[in-house]
Amino acid sequence: MMNNAVVVGRIVRDLELHETENGNKVAELTLAVPRSFKNMDGQYDTDFLPCKLWRGVAETTAEYCKKGDLVAVKGRLQSRSYEENEEKHNGIELIAERVSFLSTRKPEADE
């Protein structure tokens, strides 16, 4: 069996690095990934994919990447269940094994 995924997209918001009770570093990021085809209105939809980064991958990515950067994330898909407002939800997230920095966003004029 195989569970591999590679996703290329732009980081939606700056990463925040956290530490678990066990001392492991963890960060979450959301990638905006445009679809390669147009919808019924002639527009390209965008998927927003959650990714979880652990240890060294989390530290390096949080240090060098920010909102708007283009990255490739290689990893595995993992399902998860959680409750919110007494409702059960299911979701899929990409657990990153490697993050490749493809480009950084251009600085805006007012920065």
Side-chain angles (χ1 to χ4, degrees), residues 17 36 51 58:
L17 191 62
S36 60
C51 303

Side-chain angles (χ1 to χ4, degrees), residues 91-102:
I92 300 269
E93 62 188 355
L94 179 60
I95 306 300
E97 296 169 2
R98 181 176 179 168
V99 177
S100 298
F101 312 147
L102 302 178

Side-chain angles (χ1 to χ4, degrees), residues 4-70:
N4 288 316
V6 177
V7 178
V8 176
R10 294 210 177 266
I11 298 174
V12 172
R13 69 186 65 81
D14 290 338
L15 283 76
E16 292 184 26
L17 191 62
H18 300 283
E19 191 169 319
T20 66
E21 293 176 4
N22 298 340
N24 291 323
K25 304 289 185 180
V26 63
E28 294 182 5
L29 66 82
T30 301
L31 285 183
V33 182
R35 294 184 183 171
S36 60
F37 56 90
K38 294 181 180 179
N39 62 20
M40 297 290 285
D41 299 324
Q43 303 293 319
Y44 290 100
D45 287 329
T46 301
D47 293 307
F48 295 91
L49 307 175
C51 303
K52 187 165 282 188
L53 293 68
W54 289 94
R55 299 177 188 82
V57 175
E59 291 178 287
T60 304
T61 305
E63 182 177 350
Y64 293 105
C65 293
K66 59 190 174 303
K67 177 182 175 179
D69 289 350
L70 183 67

